[in-house]
Amino acid sequence: KNQVEQSPQSLIILEGKNCTLQCNYTVSPFSNLRWYKQDTGRGPVSLTIMTFSENTKSNGRYTATLDADTKQSSLHITASQLSDSASYICVVRGFSGGYNKLIFGAGTRLAVHP
Amino acid sequence: DADVTQTPRNRITKTGKRIMLECSQTKGHDRMYWYRQDPGLGLRLIYYSFDVKDINKGEISDGYSVSRQAQAKFSLSLESAIPNQTALYFCATSEERGGYTFGSGTRLTVV
């Protein structure tokens, strides 16, 4: 079964600290992996998209890594800010059920405290 | 104006009522999607459309129907709402190989 699992489910950090969120997937075949940020009451917004040949991709203070061999990805947030408080969703694009589809993780809820 | 606009933002309805959620986009994308988000679960695909004449069921289409009125408009209907359809609903658009743009969501409560 194609699955995307994220850890931890929730995380609290202090402003200015770094953190790393994890994503493991079993989706096969695999097309690309995306990280989204979802603010409360809003739709998900794309942070990064990586194909299987890319190991790392950055977007400002966000850096995503991908190990296609172990089917693991991480999202590292540097020098966290209060505005980073949100859910972070790992999404894998794969071929399933006869079409290419996005398979969503349940997300990691991050709270950044002053 | 937002690229993907969903209306209404919030809706409370009674069991058995018919309800329509609307989505419009200014991205010019052909592909549009309806997703459902429940607490503790990832977004799940309800229906998708690759152009005006193309409608396809996603993984959880039972109890839902859709209409693609134009390239820019894609509506989701619940013919007879039931409480377990209480959820956050998202419309999204995309290009064939591009990223997805999501609306702000419709919070639906069925009582």
Side-chain angles (χ1 to χ4, degrees), chain A residues 4-82:
Chain A
V4 177
E5 297 185 351
Q6 295 185 241
S7 62
Q9 282 188 319
S10 61
L11 180 63
I12 300 173
I13 62 173
L14 295 177
E15 186 178 13
K17 298 295 185 183
N18 303 334
C19 67
T20 300
L21 314 180
Q22 300 291 341
C23 174
N24 295 334
Y25 62 93
T26 60
V27 179
S28 181
F30 161 85
S31 176
N32 57 55
L33 186 144
R34 309 160 184 230
W35 282 93
Y36 283 83
K37 177 186 179 186
Q38 184 178 17
D39 292 310
T40 301
R42 310 294 294 179
V45 175
S46 181
L47 294 175
T48 62
I49 300 177
M50 290 185 291
T51 64
F52 67 90
S53 62
E54 296 177 289
N55 298 122
T56 185
K57 182 165 280 189
S58 292
N59 177 358
R61 294 180 296 102
Y62 301 101
T63 299
T65 65
L66 174 63
D67 185 334
D69 291 331
T70 62
K71 294 186 167 66
Q72 296 180 325
S73 176
S74 65
L75 180 70
H76 186 74
I77 303 175
T78 303
S80 60
Q81 300 175 359
L82 298 179

Side-chain angles (χ1 to χ4, degrees), chain A residues 9 32 34 36 38 41-46 49 89 93 98-106, chain B residues 9 31 35 37 40-43 45 48 57-59 88 90 96-100 102-104:
Chain A
Q9 282 188 319
N32 57 55
R34 309 160 184 230
Y36 283 83
Q38 184 178 17
R42 310 294 294 179
V45 175
S46 181
I49 300 177
I89 303 173
R93 183 180 176 88
Y99 60 95
N100 282 312
K101 62 187 288 188
L102 298 187
I103 301 163
F104 290 76
Chain B
R9 288 298 311 275
R31 299 183 173 209
Y35 286 91
Q37 186 175 39
L41 297 179
L43 274 73
L45 183 63
Y48 64 102
K57 293 182 178 180
E59 54 190 306
L88 192 52
F90 287 102
E96 181 174 352
R97 295 183 183 275
Y100 283 46
F102 286 84
S104 293

Side-chain angles (χ1 to χ4, degrees), chain B residues 31-70:
Chain B
R31 299 183 173 209
M32 298 189 72
Y33 312 81
W34 275 103
Y35 286 91
R36 168 179 173 159
Q37 186 175 39
D38 296 278
L41 297 179
L43 274 73
R44 292 179 291 167
L45 183 63
I46 305 172
Y47 271 93
Y48 64 102
S49 168
F50 285 172
D51 65 42
V52 175
K53 297 180 181 179
D54 177 76
I55 301 288
N56 302 281
K57 293 182 178 180
E59 54 190 306
I60 54 164
S61 59
D62 288 348
Y64 302 95
S65 63
V66 291
S67 173
R68 184 81 184 267
Q69 300 96 325

